Amino acid sequence: MKVCAVQIGAAVGDRAANKSKVAEQLALAAGHGIDVAVLPELWDLGFYPADALALGDPDGAEAKEFLSGQAKKYGINIVGGSIVCKNEGTIRNRGLVFDRDGALVSLYDKTHLFSPSGEHENFEAGDRLAVYELDGVPVGQIICYDIRFGELVRTLALKGIKVLFAPAAWPHPRLNHWRLLARARAVENQMFVVAVNAVGTVNNLTFCGHSMMVDPWGEIVAEAGGGEQLLMGTLDLSIIADIRERINVFRDRRPELYDVQREK
């Protein structure tokens, strides 16, 4: 699976400019014969304008039309990062995925909202997982802060995914956390992780870039720098079965002993 991480910065509140930039980058990426293009979190409006509710995309209709058209135009799968999606007076941080024919194959609302920045006060949390297939490969998606929650990612792994897509808007000074968590989620679940970050500065946040593709051994397949970049990498999915057989953590689990509920 040849993947392109589209590491870009968004113009805050300017959906038209951001769509234009994404279209330009997807055209370049498609020229490299990729299978999947992955966008960062909230590429449509940036993370996030004060008037996000007013600017939200009703039912994600504009993003759906745009991303579907791009996927069909270039014959590639697009993991559309996430957008500000508005429904009935609320907004959600929503990921949309389209296959090579432009069909919507997954919709995921960020389930863990970053309370230290007040994201939970502006957005409504999702309540369902994202497990789907691209070109017959079982994959899953999370968004940014979700990567800190090992229970969520392990649940996706137990559903059989081989690749985890993690679009984000992850800021300094937590670059080391970003790199560590992407590798940890890959190693503990013996799968590929494609973590795609934003860049640029919004208010007091400077996003750290360093989009990464990590293999099931925790080795970095490809890693971007701190600026806008198209990061290409090839995921050799054939190695997963051997790794899971040699160290079969799924077989050796003891779920009857695990209690992840908070003690009262």
Side-chain angles (χ1 to χ4, degrees), residues 157-202:
L158 291 171
K159 292 181 179 295
I161 71 169
K162 294 183 178 180
V163 183
L164 176 71
F165 297 108
W170 196 282
H172 288 293
R174 297 186 291 274
L175 172 58
N176 285 340
H177 292 192
W178 167 255
R179 300 183 78 248
L180 176 64
L181 288 164
R183 297 181 72 187
R185 298 293 88 93
V187 171
E188 68 192 6
N189 295 294
Q190 299 176 323
M191 63 188 180
F192 285 91
V193 171
V194 178
V196 181
N197 199 15
V199 295
T201 299
V202 176

Side-chain angles (χ1 to χ4, degrees), residues 54-225:
L55 295 174
D57 186 353
D59 195 36
E62 188 171 341
K64 288 177 183 176
E65 181 180 14
F66 170 66
L67 294 175
S68 173
Q70 293 290 302
K72 189 172 183 179
K73 178 179 180 179
Y74 296 114
I76 59 175
N77 301 290
I78 297 179
V79 177
S82 72
I83 63 163
V84 178
C85 182
K86 180 163 63 176
N87 289 98
E88 299 179 354
T90 63
I91 51 175
R92 291 195 172 201
N93 190 332
R94 175 165 292 180
L96 302 167
V97 180
F98 296 85
D99 67 16
R100 296 177 187 271
D101 296 321
L104 178 66
V105 297
S106 177
L107 180 157
Y108 172 69
D109 295 326
K110 186 176 181 180
T111 53
H112 299 93
L113 302 177
F114 193 60
S115 57
S117 72
E119 187 181 9
H120 66 300
E121 298 173 355
N122 295 286
F123 289 79
E124 185 175 44
D127 55 7
R128 55 183 170 182
L129 305 181
V131 176
Y132 52 99
E133 289 190 357
L134 291 179
D135 296 340
V137 178
V139 300
Q141 181 183 347
I142 59 175
I143 297 174
C144 200
Y145 188 41
D146 286 334
I147 203 170
R148 288 186 180 270
F149 296 85
E151 307 99 317
L152 171 62
V153 181
R154 174 51 59 89
T155 300
L156 297 176
L158 291 171
K159 292 181 179 295
I161 71 169
K162 294 183 178 180
V163 183
L164 176 71
F165 297 108
W170 196 282
H172 288 293
R174 297 186 291 274
L175 172 58
N176 285 340
H177 292 192
W178 167 255
R179 300 183 78 248
L180 176 64
L181 288 164
R183 297 181 72 187
R185 298 293 88 93
V187 171
E188 68 192 6
N189 295 294
Q190 299 176 323
M191 63 188 180
F192 285 91
V193 171
V194 178
V196 181
N197 199 15
V199 295
T201 299
V202 176
N203 298 324
N204 62 338
L205 294 176
T206 298
F207 305 111
C208 52
H210 283 267
S211 297
M212 301 174 67
M213 302 179 197
V214 186
D215 78 10
W217 284 124
E219 299 297 328
I220 298 173
V221 176
E223 181 174 2

